[in-house]
Amino acid sequence: MPNEARHRILMVDDDVKLCELIRDYFEPMGFDLAFAHSGPDGLRDAGTQCYDAIILDVMLPGLDGFEVLRRLRAASEAPVVMLTGRGEDTDRIVGLELGADDYVPKTSSTRELLARVRAVLRRTSAAGARVSGNIAIEIDGLSIHAEMRAAALDGAHLPLTPVEFGILLALARARGRVLSREQLLHQVSDRELEVFDRSIDVHVSSLRRKLGDDSRNPRFIQTVRAAGYRLAAFGEL
């Protein structure tokens, strides 16, 4: 694809043969891959180079993937797809709570991994494109800049992941209306809701923490029982 922009991906995984397999599949599809084979090396490379997305294994030497993600999220908002051979729901929830954008078992096909990476890249680039113009949405001290894909609370930058920003933007554009989990998942992830898929709840919980929301009397994100979520409508959007 010489005439198209190529995406730079960092894959952090100690399985060298798997890395080579992923590289051989991804590169003809418009991706340039770099590799790190330990937690410390992955954290270093992610902090010193610019990547469009990161594929991060959970089981790594030196630092496990969860600790790498925890430290990475303190300084970077790059999309992260977690990759694991264990596939346990608890691992998935922990990864999402730490700021992962998606979670893919190693038993999935290379094609599935490519689709998930493309999905996080689409929502990263499209989050600001859904609202035209450079006008920020202002809600009770919360500023949401759609095209800049940035948000601030009381003047302080909010370090949101692409999924968290997508949820916040979708709720803000709904102007106080309730959005179901299915609607939110469709808008931010480009995939159908899986049975018992509660990932939206995990992302909303993380978003609430960053907004400083009180669970009993939230300033921003309200839960509507058996319906979904809505952003409290302060004034006009």
Side-chain angles (χ1 to χ4, degrees), residues 1-183:
M1 296 185 180
N3 297 323
E4 297 183 19
R6 298 179 64 84
H7 293 292
R8 298 190 69 227
I9 306 295
L10 173 65
M11 184 170 180
V12 187
D13 195 306
D14 61 339
D15 188 333
V16 176
K17 289 185 178 180
L18 177 63
C19 290
E20 293 173 350
L21 175 67
I22 299 300
R23 179 196 61 204
D24 292 345
Y25 191 84
F26 274 50
E27 289 194 344
M29 302 296 181
F31 295 83
D32 292 323
L33 270 70
F35 301 105
H37 302 302
S38 72
D41 287 347
L43 190 61
R44 179 202 63 211
D45 292 354
T48 57
Q49 301 291 326
C50 182
Y51 295 100
D52 297 307
I54 299 169
I55 301 171
L56 177 62
D57 188 20
V58 171
M59 302 297 292
L60 290 167
L63 289 173
D64 67 29
F66 295 135
E67 184 59 27
V68 171
L69 179 60
R70 190 194 314 275
R71 299 187 190 186
L72 179 65
R73 277 292 172 252
S76 172
E77 298 170 22
V80 174
V81 176
M82 299 292 289
L83 191 63
T84 180
R86 298 190 298 192
E88 298 178 4
D89 286 344
T90 52
D91 285 350
R92 184 166 179 252
I93 292 171
V94 169
L96 293 172
E97 286 180 335
L98 291 174
D101 297 277
D102 208 340
Y103 205 93
V104 182
K106 282 190 172 180
T107 53
S108 299
S109 66
T110 307
R111 181 179 179 181
E112 171 73 6
L113 177 60
L114 176 62
R116 296 294 186 93
V117 170
R118 280 175 165 167
V120 298
L121 290 171
R122 277 198 302 270
R123 60 182 178 248
T124 297
S125 62
R130 294 193 183 102
V131 178
S132 61
N134 293 312
I135 299 174
I137 300 172
E138 301 283 350
I139 308 169
D140 191 37
L142 175 64
S143 300
I144 305 168
H145 299 266
E147 289 194 352
M148 294 173 61
R149 204 168 52 83
L153 179 60
D154 299 327
H157 172 69
L158 287 172
L160 304 180
T161 68
V163 174
E164 290 166 358
F165 181 82
I167 291 172
L168 183 61
L169 180 60
L171 290 172
R173 294 182 67 216
R175 300 173 184 263
R177 291 182 287 108
V178 177
L179 294 182
S180 68
R181 292 176 177 85
E182 291 88 345
Q183 288 172 314

Side-chain angles (χ1 to χ4, degrees), residues 139-144 151-154 156-160 164-165 167-169 171 203-214 217-222 230-232:
I139 308 169
D140 191 37
L142 175 64
S143 300
I144 305 168
L153 179 60
D154 299 327
H157 172 69
L158 287 172
L160 304 180
E164 290 166 358
F165 181 82
I167 291 172
L168 183 61
L169 180 60
L171 290 172
H203 289 298
V204 169
S205 177
S206 176
L207 179 57
R208 278 174 161 161
R209 286 196 300 272
K210 294 178 181 181
L211 291 169
D213 260 358
D214 185 310
N217 185 27
R219 178 180 175 186
F220 294 107
I221 300 177
Q222 301 172 339
R230 69 181 172 200
L231 198 67

Side-chain angles (χ1 to χ4, degrees), residues 167 170-171 174 177-188 193 197-198 200-201 204 222 224-230:
I167 291 172
L171 290 172
R177 291 182 287 108
V178 177
L179 294 182
S180 68
R181 292 176 177 85
E182 291 88 345
Q183 288 172 314
L184 286 171
L185 192 64
H186 176 74
Q187 291 194 46
V188 303
L193 182 70
D197 188 344
R198 309 293 287 185
I200 285 293
D201 296 333
V204 169
Q222 301 172 339
V224 180
R225 188 177 297 275
Y229 298 101
R230 69 181 172 200

